[in-house]
């Protein structure tokens, strides 16, 4: 009799567990065997974030770890200051490049201008400095000086070409190499200006390399070709 009562109680318990498991009110054997995911505690979150997950964190009551607004704002200000310093460094470097390029171009222009004009300019200065011969009337002195100066400057291109033609036969390879080097340099410089480059972005080293290629390669080869 006692054994029958125990069997009935056991059956009732099993039926009740089955009903509860079907309704989701009790864990199934599979659910009991599956390990539950442990929620990250604030302390572990803070340690993990301090190792490098987030830039600045602080403990909160429910969410574990959140950004610290004050620290985040400080880091943003530091990043903006660093970006401004980088931009200033780039501007200063571009200005330095512009100054160097301007100095190089001015030196080259002054040298070329002096070489082409110094004889005529000295003659014009001497014309205005010294007195005219006695047979020239003084009222025509200024007109004579101006007319002579204009005549000297007008003959400058032709005189330069004739002087170049007189020099080429004396050393043809060298002068043709110089001509080719100058043409290559000016051509590269003009092409960069045409592309929209300014003193800050023009590459004079590239123009110099182009001139060297014309001086070494094109000029002598064209002479012997």
């Amino acid at each position: 009799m006692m054994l029958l009562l125990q069997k009935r109680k056991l059956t009732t318990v099993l039926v009740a567990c089955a009903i509860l498991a079907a309704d989701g009110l009790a864990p199934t054997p599979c659910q009991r065997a599956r390990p539950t995911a442990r929620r990250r505690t604030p302390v572990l979150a803070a340690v993990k974030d301090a190792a490098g997950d987030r830039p600045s964190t602080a403990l909160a009551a429910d969410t574990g770890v959140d950004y610290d607004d004050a620290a985040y704002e400080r880091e943003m200000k530091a990043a903006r200051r660093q970006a401004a310093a980088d931009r200033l460094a780039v501007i200063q470097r571009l200005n330095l490049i512009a100054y160097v390029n301007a100095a190089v171009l001015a030196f080259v222009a002054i040298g070329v201008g002096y070489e082409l004009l110094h004889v005529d300019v000295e003659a014009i200065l001497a014309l205005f400095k010294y007195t005219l011969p006695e047979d020239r009337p003084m009222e025509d002195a200024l007109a004579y000086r101006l007319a002579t100066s204009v005549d000297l400057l007008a003959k400058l291109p032709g005189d330069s070409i004739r002087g170049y033609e007189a020099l080429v036969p004396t050393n043809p390879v060298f002068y043709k190499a110089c001509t080719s080097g100058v043409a290559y340099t000016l051509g590269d410089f003009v092409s960069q200006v045409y592309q929209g480059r300014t003193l800050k972005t023009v590459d004079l080293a590239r123009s110099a390399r182009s001139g060297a290629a014309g001086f070494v390669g094109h000029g002598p080869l064209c002479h012997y070709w």
Side-chain angles (χ1 to χ4, degrees):
M1 189 68 181
M2 294 295 297
L3 182 61
L4 182 61
L5 290 177
Q6 290 179 356
K7 288 182 178 181
R8 288 180 179 179
K9 289 181 180 180
L10 180 60
T11 303
T12 304
V13 171
L14 291 176
V15 170
C17 290
I19 294 173
L20 291 176
D23 294 338
L25 299 179
T28 63
C30 293
Q31 290 175 337
R32 287 194 299 269
R34 183 184 304 145
T36 58
R38 183 174 298 176
R39 184 181 178 182
R40 188 176 65 165
T41 61
V43 175
L44 293 177
V47 172
K48 185 176 182 180
D49 290 340
D53 280 358
R54 293 179 181 177
S56 300
T57 55
L59 296 180
D62 297 330
T63 60
V65 179
D66 290 332
Y67 284 100
D68 186 357
D69 294 337
Y72 179 75
E73 189 65 25
R74 288 195 299 270
E75 292 182 0
M76 291 300 296
K77 289 181 179 179
R80 287 193 290 268
R81 287 195 297 269
Q82 184 63 34
D86 294 339
R87 288 194 298 270
L88 181 60
V90 171
I91 292 173
Q92 291 176 347
R93 185 165 60 252
L94 291 177
N95 289 335
L96 178 61
I97 293 173
Y99 295 148
V100 172
N101 289 341
V104 172
L105 293 176
F107 177 78
V108 172
I110 292 173
V112 172
Y114 175 79
E115 187 64 28
L116 292 176
L117 300 174
H118 75 96
V119 175
D120 292 332
V121 170
E122 290 173 0
I124 292 172
L125 291 177
L127 184 64
F128 278 88
K129 181 178 180 180
Y130 300 105
T131 59
L132 294 175
E134 297 295 335
D135 57 347
R136 295 284 183 177
M138 294 304 297
E139 58 269 15
D140 295 337
L142 181 59
Y144 174 77
R145 290 188 175 98
L146 290 176
T148 305
S149 300
V150 172
D151 184 65
L152 288 174
L153 294 177
K155 292 180 179 179
L156 179 62
D159 293 340
S160 300
I161 293 175
R162 285 189 291 271
Y164 174 77
E165 291 177 348
L167 287 174
V168 169
T170 61
N171 194 347
V173 177
F174 175 74
Y175 286 108
K176 289 180 181 180
C178 291
T179 303
S180 179
V182 171
Y184 269 59
T185 303
L186 290 179
D188 184 82
F189 179 78
V190 171
S191 68
Q192 292 188 52
V193 174
Y194 181 76
Q195 292 171 0
R197 296 196 178 190
T198 61
L199 286 175
K200 294 182 179 181
T201 56
V202 68
D203 191 357
L204 292 182
R206 196 186 86 176
S207 299
R209 290 193 298 269
S210 298
F215 180 85
V216 175
H218 181 263
L221 288 178
C222 286
H223 172 75
Y224 290 107
W225 184 266

